């Protein structure tokens, strides 16, 4: 069996948690390949409602082994709390593994994330302030602490010393803040190492062996393509690679093993934090969608910006990911609208373009060109087959498929597992 990647189609929050929970029914392994606890994957099933930040959404499938891959940055405190929370809900977390190569979000990363955002002032990125960006910066600067390092009490002081000297110089001299205590950091690392030791593995070997045994590996993306460090609206992006290419690197799986890439799109667009979003509705309709869909961040509680489906961005996303199949979520949210708009091109100055600009300033100047389609004004949440959807809703889905150039094989019309229409079985 191959590996299948599940990737966010736009700016994250597309409903990947629900889709993974569903697809994981058939999976032997579910692997988070990037991001950190900036993600909030909501899952609603027979065990309750959960917001997962680090543990893969496959954890509810008793046969699936869940892996936090090397591409993830791990705040051990958040991970341990999440494991405790799952334990209390009687969800077995003994099937969880954490890559020894994953980097650790340290307390100073969280401090610096907040301080850096404040320093940016009006050009703040609007990060989740979870320390994700600073942890990836240290990974690239080769001054990170990896999960495997936490278990080596003897080697840790020498690893930590130069890093903490540097971090404390920044905290005190650049930001005028008190230094962090090396002793406290060391103690925390040892504690985390002790608790996480049973879960730490060289997970790329585990996944290689699983694929050799012909088992199914699901690669769970976090965030979305338009937040990708390279392909997103830089600098208003996250610090990792949510795209399909990032799945191979972040899980330690060969690209040749990934046989399907499933793109998750919401039936409208949302974005949290700063940066351009051409179809944003800064009016009462945007507020109606936000309230109806409860578009508030699962991690920070921040109100998400809402707008019409942006097919230019959606097509670009398909281009960089090579989706073999798409999932359309939250179609039911649009049930009450007499007209639904789709952005099919942008006007920028006196030009009309239908490709996604590479820089955020140009995107900020883009005015959406809309195509209007009649709304269906029918409750779709009870539909369980494609044919049971109103004709106008089907026409909307068909139009999106054509514009993003990818078949929509699953449609979600509610948060629960059963509120799902499988149009075509893809695996
Ligand atoms: P960071 O990932 O916390 O550094 O934040 C960078 C940008 O990505 C901000 O605009 C965040 O709001 C956004 N972001 C990060 N994680 C998510 C997510 O899981 N869903 C949606 N937006 C996210």
């Amino acid at each position: 069996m191959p590996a299948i990647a599940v990737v966010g189609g736009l700016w994250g929050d597309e409903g990947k948690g629900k889709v993974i929970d569903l697809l994981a029914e058939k999976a032997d392994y579910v692997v988070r390949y990037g991001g950190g606890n900036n993600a909030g994957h909501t899952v609603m099933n027979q065990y309750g409602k959960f917001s997962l930040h680090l543990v893969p959404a496959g954890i509810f499938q008793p046969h699936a082994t869940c892996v936090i891959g090397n591409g993830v940055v791990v705040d051990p405190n958040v991970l341990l709390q999440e494991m405790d929370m799952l334990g209390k809900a009687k969800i077995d977390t003994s099937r969880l593994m954490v890559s020894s190569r994953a980097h650790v979000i340290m307390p100073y990363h969280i401090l610096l994330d907040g301080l850096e955002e404040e320093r940016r002032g009006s050009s703040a990125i609007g990060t989740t302030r979870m320390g994700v960006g600073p942890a990836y910066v240290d990974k690239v600067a080769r001054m990170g602490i990896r999960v495997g390092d936490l278990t080596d009490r003897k080697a840790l002081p020498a690893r930590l010393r130069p890093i903490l000297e540097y971090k404390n110089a920044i905290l005190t001299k650049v930001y005028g803040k008190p230094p962090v205590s090396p002793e406290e950091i060391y103690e925390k690392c040892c504690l985390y190492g002790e608790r996480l030791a049973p879960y730490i593995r060289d997970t790329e070997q585990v996944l290689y062996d699983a694929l050799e045994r012909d088992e199914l590996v699901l690669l769970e993306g976090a965030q979305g393509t338009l937040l990708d460090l390279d392909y997103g609206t830089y600098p208003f992006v996250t610090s990792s690679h949510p795209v399909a290419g990032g799945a191979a690197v972040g899980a330690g799986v060969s690209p040749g093993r990934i046989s399907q890439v499933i793109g998750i799109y919401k039936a409208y667009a949302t974005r949290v934090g700063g940066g351009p979003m051409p179809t944003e509705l800064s009016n009462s309709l945007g507020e109606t969608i936000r309230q109806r869909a409860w578009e508030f961040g699962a991690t920070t509680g921040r109100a998400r910006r809402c707008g019409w489906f942006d097919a230019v961005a959606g097509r670009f996303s398909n281009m960089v990911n090579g989706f073999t199949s798409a999932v359309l979520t939250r179609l039911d949210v649009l049930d009450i609208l007499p007209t639904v708009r789709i952005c099919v091109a942008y006007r920028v100055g006196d030009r009309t373009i239908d490709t996604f600009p590479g820089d955020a300033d140009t995107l900020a100047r883009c005015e959406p060109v809309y195509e209007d389609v009649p709304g269906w004004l029918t409750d779709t949440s009870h539909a369980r087959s494609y044919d049971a959807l109103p004709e106008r809703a089907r026409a909307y889905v068909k139009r999106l498929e054509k514009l993003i150039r990818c078949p929509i094989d699953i449609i979600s019309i509610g948060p629960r597992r059963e509120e799902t229409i499988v149009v075509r079985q893809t695996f």
Side-chain angles (χ1 to χ4, degrees):
M1 285 272 237
I4 297 175
V6 177
V7 176
L10 294 182
W11 282 283
D13 307 316
E14 297 94 352
K16 292 180 291 294
K18 166 176 169 169
V19 176
I20 293 282
D21 176 53
L22 206 72
L23 300 182
E25 241 174 36
K26 294 184 186 166
D28 299 290
Y29 285 81
V30 182
V31 190
R32 261 285 299 271
Y33 63 80
N37 56 300
N38 47 356
H41 291 178
T42 305
V43 176
M44 211 188 259
N45 55 27
Q46 72 266 39
Y47 305 105
K49 184 178 176 190
F50 301 85
S51 182
L52 298 174
H53 302 287
L54 280 166
V55 174
I59 197 74
F60 304 99
Q61 302 290 354
H63 58 275
T65 301
C66 287
V67 176
I68 297 178
N70 56 280
V72 177
V73 285
V74 179
D75 182 333
N77 192 33
V78 174
L79 176 58
L80 290 167
Q81 276 180 24
E82 201 158 293
M83 288 162 67
D84 288 346
M85 176 274 287
L86 288 166
K88 279 191 192 123
K90 305 266 180 294
I91 310 297
D92 171 27
T93 53
S94 66
R95 298 167 288 111
L96 182 68
M97 292 180 188
V98 188
S99 165
S100 57
R101 288 176 157 87
H103 278 246
V104 178
I105 297 182
M106 301 288 273
Y108 48 80
H109 291 137
I110 301 168
L111 285 174
L112 287 168
D113 203 353
L115 291 167
E116 286 165 8
E117 274 292 85
E118 275 152 36
R119 186 177 50 82
R120 288 183 193 111
S122 61
S123 47
I125 296 166
T127 75
T128 55
R129 299 186 180 218
M130 303 290 172
V132 170
Y136 278 117
V137 167
D138 279 2
K139 173 176 177 173
V140 176
R142 284 144 299 173
M143 56 189 299
I145 297 290
R146 305 204 297 182
V147 167
D149 296 333
L150 297 175
T151 55
D152 195 342
R153 295 179 80 100
K154 282 206 183 102
L156 258 176
R159 287 263 319 121
L160 281 171
R161 195 172 309 113
I163 298 171
L164 291 177
E165 275 168 18
Y166 181 77
K167 295 295 166 191
N168 278 338
I170 306 264
L171 284 170
T172 57
K173 294 185 181 140
V174 176
Y175 292 108
K177 296 288 173 194
V180 292
S181 153
E183 293 74 29
E184 269 176 35
I185 301 267
Y186 174 73
E187 286 307 322
K188 267 192 180 158
C189 285
C190 293
L191 192 82
Y192 294 150
E194 235 167 71
R195 278 208 63 193
L196 290 178
Y199 304 93
I200 302 173
R201 300 280 291 276
D202 289 342
T203 52
E204 53 290 322
Q205 184 69 53
V206 172
L207 294 174
Y208 176 83
D209 293 342
L211 287 164
E212 285 291 291
R213 287 193 303 270
D214 226 15
E215 294 182 349
L216 181 64
V217 175
L218 210 53
L219 305 171
E220 174 180 351
Q223 290 82 45
T225 300
L226 301 183
L227 289 172
D228 184 273
L229 191 51
D230 281 282
Y231 301 108
T233 50
Y234 192 88
F236 301 99
V237 291
T238 192
S239 311
S240 61
H241 293 290
V243 293
V249 181
V253 165
S254 154
R257 296 278 199 171
I258 302 176
S259 66
Q260 289 189 48
V261 182
I262 303 177
I264 316 297
Y265 291 94
K266 197 149 50 180
Y268 50 95
T270 61
R271 169 161 210 175
V272 207
M277 177 186 175
T279 63
E280 180 171 11
L281 289 164
S282 314
N283 55 14
S284 59
L285 185 55
E287 188 56 31
T288 303
I289 295 176
R290 177 158 42 248
Q291 293 299 333
R292 180 168 160 78
W294 201 246
E295 289 290 359
F296 293 89
T299 300
T300 58
R302 290 181 294 175
R304 295 181 187 139
R305 301 153 66 190
C306 299
W308 297 116
F309 190 90
D310 186 336
V312 182
R315 191 162 51 240
F316 169 77
S317 173
N318 184 17
M319 183 184 88
V320 296
N321 287 297
F323 293 139
T324 53
S325 172
V327 177
L328 189 69
T329 62
R330 312 212 73 177
L331 182 66
D332 56 302
V333 170
L334 305 182
D335 288 352
I336 54 158
L337 303 179
T339 302
V340 181
R341 310 191 93 179
I342 308 170
C343 169
V344 292
Y346 300 141
R347 283 289 299 166
V348 50
D350 54 7
R351 288 182 310 134
T352 301
I353 56 171
D354 64 0
T355 52
F356 195 70
D359 80 296
D361 287 344
T362 308
L363 188 66
R365 288 189 286 111
C366 285
E367 292 289 330
V369 176
Y370 286 118
E371 190 175 289
D372 287 354
V373 300
W376 41 96
L377 297 172
T378 310
D379 179 4
T380 57
S381 65
H382 301 292
R384 292 294 174 266
S385 70
Y386 185 66
D387 291 339
L389 283 174
E391 197 183 335
R392 288 176 168 183
R394 278 184 274 147
Y396 180 64
V397 173
K398 281 274 154 237
R399 188 67 187 127
L400 295 190
E401 278 186 329
K402 192 144 198 252
L403 288 165
I404 61 170
R405 298 184 188 150
C406 182
I408 293 172
D409 292 327
I410 296 178
I411 299 167
S412 170
I413 26 76
R416 291 179 185 78
R417 276 183 190 167
E418 62 275 16
E419 291 168 325
T420 307
I421 297 169
V422 178
V423 186
R424 265 174 300 268
Q425 204 80 47
T426 54
F427 71 92

